[in-house]
Amino acid sequence: MDLDKNFLGEMLLNKTLWWCLTQEGDGVQFKASPALQEMVGAEILDYATFLSYLMPESAHLLEYKSREFMARPEVDERFLVGFKVGEKITWLINKLHLANQGPGDCRVLYSTCVEVSEMYALEEQLIESHSRLMIEQLRAKEEMAKKEAQILQQQYDDQTQFLAMLSHELRSPLMGMNSLVSVVKKK
């Protein structure tokens, strides 16, 4: 069974995650795949709308990476961006590509995307649980240090008490002997 090339092309255009930015002179055209719009949960008609759905740090990163890639297209650019529509955040890894379209000065910057929201959430959970573990370990070490300090303080107090008692017990007989020696010397 041969797949119709038009059917296959249409399916790929509609079902894969991608966006493209076409620059012709001063004009800019933007298009996002229906699958990307569905995943993000919003209609994306132009580049400004696209950027408005990005989290602020993602919008800055996307613009920076795009400019950098346009200057050096041989660099393999992959980066993570977050789309926020309402309370829902969708994380996508973008891989940039550059193509020249037809005659003239028309350049197309496009990105193929992979949705990684679940992996991002798992990574956040892993980082959070690792942080909790480190905090618990630090608290346990702090508790151990407090117990050791208490033990050392108790040993110091016991030693000080012992030396005070020893000093008293030795001083009394020695004072008596010193008095007897003084009496004997006088005679």
Side-chain angles (χ1 to χ4, degrees):
M1 174 181 178
D2 276 336
L3 286 177
D4 181 14
K5 288 181 184 179
N6 290 335
F7 170 77
L8 185 58
E10 192 68 32
M11 185 180 68
L12 287 172
L13 279 175
N14 291 326
K15 300 294 181 186
T16 57
L17 303 173
W18 57 267
W19 57 265
C20 76
L21 189 62
T22 306
Q23 290 182 311
E24 240 181 309
D26 291 337
V28 174
Q29 290 183 333
F30 180 82
K31 180 124 173 92
S33 71
L36 178 61
Q37 294 182 60
E38 183 180 321
M39 179 171 290
V40 171
E43 190 173 7
I44 304 170
L45 300 175
D46 57 22
Y47 190 58
T49 305
F50 178 71
L51 290 177
S52 73
Y53 288 126
L54 289 175
M55 298 181 71
E57 61 275 6
S58 292
H60 295 297
L61 179 66
L62 176 80
E63 292 204 319
Y64 170 76
K65 293 288 190 179
S66 296
R67 277 192 308 275
E68 187 179 272
F69 187 73
M70 293 287 274
R72 295 183 18 216
E74 68 278 359
V75 176
D76 186 20
E77 283 295 337
R78 293 169 199 243
F79 55 94
L80 181 70
V81 295
F83 287 90
K84 185 169 185 177
V85 178
E87 293 301 312
K88 179 185 173 191
I89 298 176
T90 303
W91 293 97
L92 298 174
I93 292 178
N94 289 260
K95 180 171 180 359
L96 296 179
H97 309 273
L98 187 62
N100 291 327
Q101 181 182 11
D105 192 20
C106 184
R107 294 173 71 180
V108 178
L109 174 68
Y110 66 99
S111 175
T112 52
C113 308
V114 177
E115 195 263 335
V116 292
S117 299
E118 189 175 327
M119 287 190 313
Y120 188 86
L122 289 172
E123 182 180 22
E124 281 186 330
Q125 289 175 355
L126 181 63
I127 290 169
E128 184 180 324
S129 55
H130 182 70
S131 297
R132 274 197 310 265
L133 178 62
M134 288 179 65
I135 289 170
E136 288 173 12
Q137 288 174 341
L138 287 172
R139 285 185 181 150
K141 286 179 182 179
E142 182 181 356
E143 194 64 36
M144 184 68 81
K146 283 181 183 178
K147 287 179 182 178
E148 288 176 1
Q150 287 174 343
I151 290 170
L152 288 172
Q153 185 64 44
Q154 183 62 43
Q155 288 175 344
Y156 175 78
D157 292 345
D158 290 348
Q159 184 180 14
T160 303
Q161 184 180 3
F162 172 75
L163 290 174
M165 194 169 51
L166 181 65
S167 172
H168 175 72
E169 294 299 324
L170 288 175
R171 194 176 331 125
S172 297
L174 287 175
M175 293 294 271
M177 288 173 47
N178 191 24
S179 298
L180 285 175
V181 168
S182 294
V183 171
V184 170
K185 275 186 174 178
K186 288 183 183 176
K187 289 192 174 185

